[in-house]
Structure formats: structure tokens, C-alpha cells
Amino acid sequence: MDNHGSYKSLINIWILLMFLTVVTVGAAQFDFGAWNVPIALIIASVKAGVVALHFMHLKHEDGLTWVFASYPLFLLFLLIAFTVTDMFSRVVN
Amino acid sequence: MSQEQEKNYLENGEGFASWFFTVDHKRIGIMYLWAIGVFFIIAAIASFLVRFEHLTPGQTIMTAHTYNVLFTLHGSMMVFLFIVPGVAASFGNFLIPLMIGAKDVIFPKLNLYSFWLYLLGAAVFMIALAAPADTGWTFYTPYSIESGANVILITFGIFILGFSSILTGINFIVTMHKLRAPGMTWDRLPLFCWAAYATSLLQVLATPVVGITLLLLIGERFFGLGFFDPARGGDPVLFQHFFWFYSHPAVYIMILPAMGIISEVIPVFSRKPIFGYKAIAYASLAIALISFLVWGHHMFVSGQSKLINVIFSVITYAVAVPTAIKVFNWLWTLYKGSIELSTAMLYSLAFIFLFTIGGLTGLFLGALAADVHLHDTYFVVAHMHYVMIGGTVFGFFAALHFWYPKMWGRMFDEFKAKIAFVLIFIGFNVIFFPQFILGTLGMPRRYFNYAPEFQSLHQLSTYGTWIGAAGFILMLWTLMRPLPGKAPGNPYRSLSLEWSMDSPPGTFNFDEIPTITEPVYNYGTKIEEES
Amino acid sequence: MGFFDVTSKVLKSIAYPSEMVPSIDTEDDGHHHFDHETEHSGAKLGMWLFLATELLLFGGLFAAYAIYRAKYPDMFQHGSQSLNVVLGTVNTVILIFSSLTVAIAVKAIQENRIKLVKIMLWITIICAAIFAVNKYFEYSYKFNLGIFPGTDIFYSIYFAATGVHMLHVFIGMAVLGVLLRKVYKGKYSKDNYTAIEIGGLYWHLVDLIWIYLFPLLYLVG
Amino acid sequence: MNWLPVSASTFAPGVDFVLWLVTIISVISCILIGFLLVYFVIKYRRKSDNDQTPAITHDSFLETLWTVIPTILCIVIFIYGYVFYDQYTTTPKNAVEINVTAKQWLWTFDYSNGKKTLNELYVPIGQPIRLVMQSDDVLHSFFVPAFRVKQDLMGNRYTYINFTATKEGVFDIYCTEYCGTAHSNMLGKVHVLSKEKFASWEDGSAKKVQKASSNLPPAEVGRQLYSDKGCVACHSIDGADGVGPTWKGLFGKNRIFADGTSILADENYIKESILYPGEKIVEGYGPVMPSYKGLLEDSDITAIIEYIKSLK
């Protein structure tokens, strides 16, 4: 049976997540121009990664679970990459 | 307990409830088989009428609107109610646990719920027929937003069916990971299981995208969301992207299990190990992965950008290669074999030939310049049916005959079944081969009316449906009337695990979980030097 | 089995939706054919696969967001600025907190601390309810301003994404509610907690999706 | 039997080349596989139940062969497909633009000189043409088999087709994207004219000449217009219900409109309905008909009215 981490470590993770939320909201107060979205997405991904690894115990799962957890991300990337590429390469010469 | 063990799964419980609430994977498989059989027949009748309409140009027996409704009914029913859940859910359910040496799938109850969801989705779909859709099975926007038909209900039905598909896929994947008998390593896994595994992956990962797409389409009709409606600043091509992101992998959801079936049938009736086991197994996986990358080849003339067209064309040819490899592997399994032309074998051999034609005509459509001419003509219709009928349905029929003794515990009349095969084979080719020529000549698909110069080819195609229908009825007739006497446990001397038990199997499949020590296709006693 | 039994079984399965939760309880219908460890790891693997499908379900919305944001930057700028960042932030905090409580609940059941499990599940469900109430206020405020799905593409994405997410919140609440009821019935222990663990996984996914939706919709205007 | 339509554009030979190339590859592969299939089945048929068979499970040489050869063929086909497609999608510098608008179930062509035609596209031979296309409603697709060109049309965005006609004559236009009830009646014609004929068509003299020489009765001319101008897509002549009311027995009948009023269908009513179709909507039908103002001359309208009169 898997029995990982302690209550304290869970709460520490939570504090980290709260901190990152503050950072997200804070960062939104400044205008980084084209970097607004990437910055927001990077912070969100760090948060998501922390939730997945610690709250969802992905850290302790086997390789198979990692494959199933990450493959949809790849597909999502494909879906977005191809559709966006299409949308912005339609200029006709 | 021992009393119960002696009963086979068909005898274990009688009446409606003993089936409807069963968690026995074999009974669930049989129920799927009945359900998809019914929908197949309804959809086939629709196509029969559609073809009949084409006996003459202009109105023959129905109005243009009825025609549009019927081809939509035929397409959507065949795709969503028959062929996608078809082979995977029916034969997959029945066979996977038997083949891997398990007593059931890993989530038996979930399996039952999946079946109920399937029925629920089908029911919603049927209710929608009160104002049947005339959008084509592709539901392209903005026509599907504006059409007066019951598009919301029908797409909601498909949404539910999608969930059934996803849950079945999850069930199979986890079952194959967790419940393989000791010694049933991945390189001893029957190829049908490999195919079912790849299929399940596609079901799990592709279906949600069509789910959200149809949900958004419903939102378009309810709220006017505008994502897919040019009048509201949306983009109809985006709908097509989302739709084909699912529907191209769905083509492989349809064909992969059939490939798995004939990979089982051919070695048994050639008494040879399957040629290139690993190549076929990995090709299944490769197809499952690459098939996510080629959806745009359905959209070469849709207004997609030129760059994306070129990219998709390249990747499309990449997916052609593993498919070609499979065909040659099946072919070479026959080499120096001891070939018995049973009905199941005939269907499998026909699969190889017809699927080859289907695949080769795909090469036309993948080529950008040629596709500009052929897109949305009868060529596409013919190509698709060579893959879906010549491939999937022939594979499905092969399975019906091959596992018939195992499923029902009886044998059938091989002679009549072979006559039925000949009729179906001839009928099929007479229906669809002329359509290739119609297509290259420029006859568009989904046309109620057509120019008089196309009439002779259209008529030929319609006559084919009569031959095919006769064959299909004869096949049903034969299968519905089994020969007297009990079928032996292993009538074909197969080495696969499902034949190692009585026909039909007992409720719990195996009294004791077997231990596997040999490769699954260990035919061939004459040892030759390996190259 | 006659007609009556069939009807009663159907009615029962409707009346007790908890029966619809995948069969991962040990007191199953005697069809038990594999050991506990297989069941546990199998259920988790199945759940991860299901989460994969959920992610791709939202994938369509994320793709639509990416495209239309790039196509109509001004519309997204205006729309985003009209959303209530405070409510959004509060909801983010609530969801992250509820994620913590679920994680604690899973940890607690592994140590057989049933009482803690109950408290944590209760808090989680209450958090979910508060989230829903906040969302209700947000929606009705927008409706009062005459903003509906379909007003423009930004609001369509906003309502579609948060709406589908809301649906998941409700499903999550239902799942947690069923689990809580079973905890009260004493069904779970340190030897049998798979259901709580995979229910928790589902709830974390609801949180994960929101972690992305929040900045994309509310912040990066 | 011929399996390809006439080749009438500069793009067509390229497409035909690819079609022939793939056909030859396909036929050879098909014969090879079909032959081997039948040959193996006959040669290695089961002779007895105890036939000894070898345990051949792989053969590196063969497997390499049937991986490499299809790969090479695929690359070749892709390249040819791409090369001709690239030519087709590249607009020539001296291309003349024609605007195309699709609407359920009509094609409208607007020329740079202000001319406008319905369902009939006029182009000069040898002149690169660029169609700038848009739909007024749902998706349509512009397809001319003789030119081997096809492109979807949609709302809110222009799409394009380039072609140069190489043969004089009249060729079919089909709509190939399913667009509703009368999809299969959304047909048109491309008239490829010699430079001189096109010039005379452009300044309008051709039409007059043609008219003067035509001594058909007006009802016959009307019948011609009925199919040429797209009326056929929505109005039946045999009483069948369509998108619009049937023409059979229309003349002299009492028309009831959506707003409850009614009128006797006479010449003036029909003329009004052709020019201003939105004014009076017959009960049970939608306001979908486009105006033919500027698209039909008075004499055409008279001919159509005569034709309707003849449909008792």
C-alpha cells in the first residue's frame, strides 16, 4: 500500500500553491506585453505540476501512469499547434 | 459451486434480467453483438433505399429531403452505433478475458454500465429520428446550426455513446495491463488483443475531443456560441479540425479490431505461425499513435492553409507504410502453409484483397493534387467503403463465423455460409467498384440528382446492393439455424487460449488461471532454418 | 426473474446512484476474481486514463481559446477586464484549499483516522458549494448586464469553459457525497480506500483545470 | 470506357499524371497481392489433417523489402502530388479576378467590368483566372471536373481558385460540399470562349446577336432560363414541394402570404416576386430567395412568365 508524505508536507505544498497564486495575480498587475500569456501559463503549469506530483501522488506512480498522464498533454499540444498553425498560415500570396 | 461451474455461460441464468444485469463479459459481449446487429440492419436498409433512389436520375422513390435524411441516418448509424462500438465492444468483450487467461474484465460492473450507456445513447439517437437530421454524419457547421432537424438530440445521443466507448476502452486497457495470466507476456499476447489495446487507446484519447465538439455544437444551437459560425465571427474550419481530430483516429478504431481478427484466423487455417508477429503488434501501436497526426487530410480543400495541407499530406503517407507491412505479413503467413478454406478464412482472405484496394485508393486521396479533384466525389465513398466494409465488416463476418462454435456451442452449415460469402463478395464489388469511376469522372457525393451520363454506373452499383443483400440474408439464415449437435471445444485445433476450454465456455472461463509457456501462434512442426 | 424483479432492479439503480460508482468495493457481487493489490492499482490506472479523457475534453476549449484570443485580441482584452478578479481569486483559493483537504482525507484513510476523513470530506464538499455559489453570483451579475453565452466569442468561451468546469464541480460533489455516505456506513478503512483515492484524483483534476482557466480568463487581459 | 473527364485547364494534365501514376502503382500491387493470394491458396491447400508446416516467423530480407519499397513509392507519390498542387495554388501575376458568391442554391459571378451572371461563368481561353469566392450562408464547394479544381466556400472569409482554361466549350460546375435540400441542384456551367467571343460577350453584343437569331417561342426560352438561372434548385415544375413553391399551376392561382394577405398570381405578381422576392412570402416558405434584379432582362422575365403559364 502506498502511504506517502505527511500531513505537514501536504500543508507545505498547499502554502507553496497559495504563494504561486499570489504570484499569478501579482504578475497580472504588470504588463509584460507579449509575455503576459506565457508567464501566466508557466506559473499555472508549475502549480498544476505540484498538484499532480504531490496531491495526486504522481511522484510515486509507475512509468505506465506517467505515460497515460503525459500522452494527453502531447495530444493537446498537437491539437492546439496544428489548429493555430492553420489559422495563421492562411495568408495567400 | 461445482454445480455452477459445470453450467456454461449461456445456461447460467435465464430470462431478460439474467442478461440485462449480468456482469459476465461474455454475455455483455453477446448483448453488444445483438444490439449492433440490429442497428447494422437498420442502417443497411437505409443504404439500400439510398441506392435504389439512384436507379434513375431525379426522383425515383423519394424526395430530395428524404434522401438527405436517409444518407445521414445510414452514415451516422453505421459509424456511431455499429462500427465504432461494433467489433471492439462485442468481440473484444467476449474474447479479451478468454485470450489473456482472466475470469472477467477488471471492472465488470463498469462494463455493464458501459453497455447501458450504449443503449441509452442509442435510445436518444432513435428518439431524435422523430425529426431526423439531414446534415450528413459529419455535422458540418454552419448547416448543422441552421438545419431545422433535431440535431441537438442526435448529437447528444452520440455524446453519450462516446462515454460508453471511453469507459469500455479504459476497461480493456486496464484489463490487459493487470489481468494477464502468468506467462502471458506482451510478446505472447494474441494479436487480437494487441489490436484491441491500440483501439482502446484511440477510444480513450480521441473520443473526448468529439465529445466537447458536439457539446459545443449543441451550445451553438442553444446559445449561439459562435465558435463555428462564420456569421458570429467563428470558423467552420475549426469545427472540421475538431471533428476529424476524433474521426480520423475513429477510422482506426473501426479497422484495427478487424485486423486483429484476421491475424487470429489466418494462422489457424494455414497452420503456420503468424509471419512477423512483432511487426504486426508494433504496427498496431504505431498506427494508433500516428493516426492522431493525419486528420487534416480530410480537409485539403476546406480552406485549410496550404502549409498545413502539405504537412498533413506528408504524415498521411507515413501512416500508409505500417499498413502495407501488415498486408504483406498476412500474405506471407500463407506461404508454405496448410490452407483450409473455411468460411472464416474466406472472409479473411477477402479482407486482405479488399483492404489492399481500400488502402491503395487511399494513396490517391493523400496526394494533394489528386485530392483536389477527388475530394467529396464518389471516389471517396468507394474508398471509404472498401476500407469499412471490405475491411471491417468482412473482418467482423470472419469473426462471426470463426468464433461461432465458441460463442454458441454449435456448428453452422459451412456450405451455405460459403455461398453467402460468394454473394456478398460479388455484391460488394459490384456496388463499390463502379463508384471509383463515378468519382474520377467527377460525380459528387451526397447528390440526390445526377446527370444522365452517370446513369449506367449508378444502376450497376444499385444492382450490386441486391446481390449483397441476398448474400447477407443467406448468411443470417445460415447462422440462425445451427447444425444439430454440440460443438467441440477446439474444432480448428487452434492453440489460442479461448479454444482450450469447452464450447461455450463456463461462466467463470477458467477453473484455474492457466500458466502460459509458449508463444501463441506456435504452429508449424517442421523446423526450418531461419534466415 | 420476472418483470417485477427487472423493474425493481432498474428503479433501485436509479434511486441509489451510488450503485453506479464503478465496482471497486470489496463487498462486490461475488464476482471477485483478482487480488486486492491488482484491484487497487487497476482502479488507479483506470482513473488516470479517465483523467486523460477529461483533459482532452477541455482540450477543445483550450484550442478554441488559443485561436480566438490570437484572432481577436481586443475582444479578449475587454472581456477579460470585465470579469471579477476578486471572485475569481477567491474561487481559486477555495479550490486549492479543497484540493488540500481531499489530499489529507486520502492520507487519513490510509491511517484509519475515520473522523478526520469525515471532516476533510465535509470541508471539501462545502468548499465546492461555496465555489458554486460564487459562480452563481458571477453568472447572474453578467446576465443582469445583458451578457450571455453568444454575446461575443470571449464570453462564449468564458461561459462554455466555466460551465463545463462547473458541471465537473457538481459531479465531483456528487462523487464526494457518495464517498462520505459510505464513510459514515463504515465501508472504508486502511485496507480498503481505493474509492476515496480515485475520487480524490477526480477532485484534483477539477482543481487542475481551474488552475489554467483562472489566469487565462480572468488575468491575462 | 473513359474514366476521366475532359481535360480543359492547365492544372488538369498534372492531376491526370498523378492519377495515372497511382493507378499504375495500385494495379500492379493489386495484381501482385491478388496473384500471390490465389497462388498460395491453391499451392498450399490442405492435403491432409497432418500436413507438416514450417515455423517461418520472419525473414529480414523480405520485411526490409516490403518496408522500403512502399516507403519509396509513397515519397514519390507525395512529391508529385505536392508539385502540381503547388503550381495550382500559386496565383499567376496576370490573373483576372472574378468574384464568386454562393448561396443556397445559386452561384453568382461578378466580373471586374460590372457584369454579373447567375450559374454561368464566362471565361476567355488561355487567360489565368482567379476566383475570389465567398458564401452567403452555409458551406459550399466550387468544383469543375474538367478543370480538376475544387475549393470550399464559407461565410466571412474569402477562398480562392486559380485556373487557366485550355479548351473552348461548356463545362459543368458542381457544388461538392453538402449544403441542404437542393444541394444536388446547385449546378452551373463554365463557358470557355475564344478571346474574340469573350470580348463580344463582354461588351454585350453576343447576347443580342444570340437573341436576335433565336426564334424560339418565349415559353421555350423560359424553360431554358428555368434551368440555367437556378430556378430549378428550389421550384419544381411537377407539383412536388421544394424549398420554394412549385410552378405547376401557379399562374392564376390565389396566393396566400405569411402575413395573411392574398393575391391572384398574375404577370405583375410574378415579376415582382422575381425582382423583389422579399416583399410577399407565400405561407409556409422562408424568405430565402435572392433578388434577380439586374440579373434578368425584361424579356427574360416575360419568357419565364410565359413558361409558368404553360405549366398547367
Side-chain angles (χ1 to χ4, degrees), chain B residues 107 144 161 198 271 283 294 302 325 393 407 440:
Chain B
F107 310 123
S144 57
L161 289 165
R271 307 217 58 75
V294 299
S302 71
I325 292 173
V393 175
M407 287 185 146
T440 53

Side-chain angles (χ1 to χ4, degrees), chain C residues 13 22 42 54 60 97 107 134 137 141 143 146 167 173 186 195 206 221:
Chain C
S13 69
E54 291 283 15
F97 183 66
K107 173 97 186 126
N134 279 344
F137 283 127
Y141 180 70
F143 294 157
L167 188 69
M173 281 173 80
V206 173

Side-chain angles (χ1 to χ4, degrees), chain A:
Chain A
M1 293 285 130
D2 36 17
N3 188 355
H4 305 290
S6 63
Y7 296 108
K8 199 172 162 211
S9 71
L10 288 176
I11 289 169
N12 284 340
I13 297 295
W14 177 69
I15 292 170
L16 174 62
L17 286 170
M18 293 321 294
F19 170 72
L20 287 170
T21 307
V22 173
V23 173
T24 319
V25 178
Q29 308 309 314
F30 303 97
D31 190 4
F32 300 101
W35 287 95
N36 279 343
V37 180
I39 288 174
L41 280 180
I42 288 167
I43 301 173
S45 300
V46 173
K47 285 166 79 178
V50 169
V51 171
L53 286 176
H54 296 279
F55 283 177
M56 300 169 89
H57 307 300
L58 192 55
K59 213 169 77 177
H60 308 286
E61 299 291 349
D62 53 4
L64 189 62
T65 313
W66 276 82
V67 170
F68 287 145
S70 50
Y71 194 59
L73 296 175
F74 170 65
L75 291 181
L76 191 59
F77 166 76
L78 278 184
L79 178 65
I80 295 176
F82 275 117
T83 47
V84 170
T85 311
D86 170 31
M87 197 66 78
F88 295 99
S89 58
R90 284 180 190 167
V91 186
V92 191
N93 46 339

Side-chain angles (χ1 to χ4, degrees), chain B residues 50-212:
Chain B
V50 160
R51 276 306 336 155
F52 200 92
E53 168 57 36
H54 283 317
L55 264 183
T56 62
Q59 186 160 341
T60 309
I61 52 167
M62 60 181 80
T63 63
H65 180 73
T66 314
Y67 174 86
N68 295 342
V69 163
L70 277 178
F71 79 65
T72 304
L73 178 73
H74 166 71
S76 50
M77 213 170 205
M78 279 292 188
V79 170
F80 295 110
L81 288 176
F82 168 65
I83 203 163
V84 166
V87 188
S90 59
F91 285 101
N93 253 312
F94 190 90
L95 292 171
I96 289 171
L98 297 181
M99 283 182 160
I100 64 171
K103 294 199 171 184
D104 206 324
V105 293
I106 193 158
F107 310 123
K109 261 192 182 175
L110 183 66
N111 201 16
L112 178 63
Y113 299 148
S114 306
F115 177 66
W116 287 356
L117 270 180
Y118 170 80
L119 288 185
L120 180 68
V124 173
F125 186 101
M126 299 306 276
I127 292 167
L129 295 183
D134 62 340
T135 58
W137 75 276
T138 45
F139 302 107
Y140 273 13
T141 57
Y143 186 69
S144 57
I145 301 174
E146 292 165 10
S147 163
N150 221 335
V151 175
I152 290 182
L153 261 190
I154 198 166
T155 45
F156 187 63
I158 294 169
F159 182 77
I160 297 172
L161 289 165
F163 264 93
S164 160
S165 210
I166 288 172
L167 294 177
T168 302
I170 291 176
N171 218 336
F172 287 174
I173 292 176
V174 180
T175 301
M176 277 182 269
H177 271 293
K178 300 290 176 187
L179 295 187
R180 279 172 290 122
M184 179 59 85
T185 51
W186 286 98
D187 57 0
R188 287 177 184 162
L189 198 63
L191 287 168
F192 178 77
C193 295
W194 270 101
Y197 185 85
T199 309
S200 303
L201 269 182
L202 291 175
Q203 284 183 335
V204 169
L205 296 171
T207 317
V209 177
V210 82
I212 191 71

Side-chain angles (χ1 to χ4, degrees), chain D residues 101-121:
Chain D
T101 311
K103 184 179 163 56
Q104 284 168 323
W105 290 277
L106 276 178
W107 299 102
T108 315
F109 303 101
D110 287 287
Y111 305 80
S112 51
N113 64 356
K115 265 188 178 290
K116 189 172 188 168
T117 55
L118 267 187
N119 285 348
E120 315 251 346
L121 173 62

Side-chain angles (χ1 to χ4, degrees), chain B residues 80-355:
Chain B
F80 295 110
L81 288 176
F82 168 65
I83 203 163
V84 166
V87 188
S90 59
F91 285 101
N93 253 312
F94 190 90
L95 292 171
I96 289 171
L98 297 181
M99 283 182 160
I100 64 171
K103 294 199 171 184
D104 206 324
V105 293
I106 193 158
F107 310 123
K109 261 192 182 175
L110 183 66
N111 201 16
L112 178 63
Y113 299 148
S114 306
F115 177 66
W116 287 356
L117 270 180
Y118 170 80
L119 288 185
L120 180 68
V124 173
F125 186 101
M126 299 306 276
I127 292 167
L129 295 183
D134 62 340
T135 58
W137 75 276
T138 45
F139 302 107
Y140 273 13
T141 57
Y143 186 69
S144 57
I145 301 174
E146 292 165 10
S147 163
N150 221 335
V151 175
I152 290 182
L153 261 190
I154 198 166
T155 45
F156 187 63
I158 294 169
F159 182 77
I160 297 172
L161 289 165
F163 264 93
S164 160
S165 210
I166 288 172
L167 294 177
T168 302
I170 291 176
N171 218 336
F172 287 174
I173 292 176
V174 180
T175 301
M176 277 182 269
H177 271 293
K178 300 290 176 187
L179 295 187
R180 279 172 290 122
M184 179 59 85
T185 51
W186 286 98
D187 57 0
R188 287 177 184 162
L189 198 63
L191 287 168
F192 178 77
C193 295
W194 270 101
Y197 185 85
T199 309
S200 303
L201 269 182
L202 291 175
Q203 284 183 335
V204 169
L205 296 171
T207 317
V209 177
V210 82
I212 191 71
T213 311
L214 296 177
L215 217 52
L216 290 179
L217 178 58
I218 292 172
E220 293 275 348
R221 287 181 69 99
F222 256 130
F223 305 113
L225 290 182
F227 297 148
F228 307 136
D229 188 354
R232 292 170 174 276
D235 181 10
V237 178
L238 185 64
F239 177 86
Q240 297 171 30
H241 274 300
F242 285 0
F243 184 82
W244 290 110
F245 184 87
Y246 163 76
S247 294
H248 191 75
V251 172
Y252 293 96
I253 293 177
M254 306 172 199
I255 191 71
L256 276 171
M259 292 174 164
I261 288 166
I262 72 152
S263 306
E264 296 298 320
V265 174
I266 291 177
V268 171
F269 291 114
S270 319
R271 307 217 58 75
K272 280 264 316 290
I274 188 101
F275 188 90
Y277 171 91
K278 279 194 177 154
I280 296 183
Y282 295 155
S284 294
L285 273 191
I287 287 173
L289 301 184
I290 305 175
S291 69
F292 276 107
L293 302 168
V294 299
W295 80 82
H297 67 214
H298 297 262
M299 299 163 59
F300 285 160
V301 301
S302 71
Q304 198 175 228
S305 81
K306 184 173 167 181
L307 172 70
I308 283 284
N309 277 349
V310 175
I311 295 173
F312 276 125
S313 178
V314 173
I315 312 176
T316 298
Y317 283 108
V319 84
V321 175
T323 313
I325 292 173
K326 282 191 163 194
V327 168
F328 287 113
N329 280 319
W330 293 318
L331 194 61
W332 227 255
T333 306
L334 302 173
Y335 174 66
K336 289 193 176 174
S338 163
I339 297 167
E340 184 191 347
L341 284 182
S342 68
T343 315
M345 185 66 164
L346 285 172
Y347 279 110
S348 303
L349 298 177
F351 174 105
I352 298 180
F353 185 65
L354 300 176
F355 182 75

Side-chain angles (χ1 to χ4, degrees), chain B residues 17 21 23 104-107 109 113 174 178-179 204-205 208 212 223-227 232-235 238 242 508, chain C residues 1 6 9 19-20 23 29 31 33-34 38 41-42 46 49-50 53 56-57 60 67-68 72 149-150 153 156-157:
Chain B
F21 295 101
V23 288
D104 206 324
V105 293
I106 193 158
F107 310 123
K109 261 192 182 175
Y113 299 148
V174 180
K178 300 290 176 187
L179 295 187
V204 169
L205 296 171
I212 191 71
F223 305 113
L225 290 182
F227 297 148
R232 292 170 174 276
D235 181 10
L238 185 64
F242 285 0
F508 295 100
Chain C
M1 229 191 238
V6 175
K9 264 200 165 182
E19 303 288 315
M20 300 296 285
S23 69
D29 43 313
H31 209 74
H33 55 93
F34 41 82
T38 309
S41 63
L49 276 166
F50 188 71
T53 72
L56 285 163
L57 187 81
I67 284 163
Y68 289 119
Y72 304 115
I153 292 218
S156 289
I157 287 190

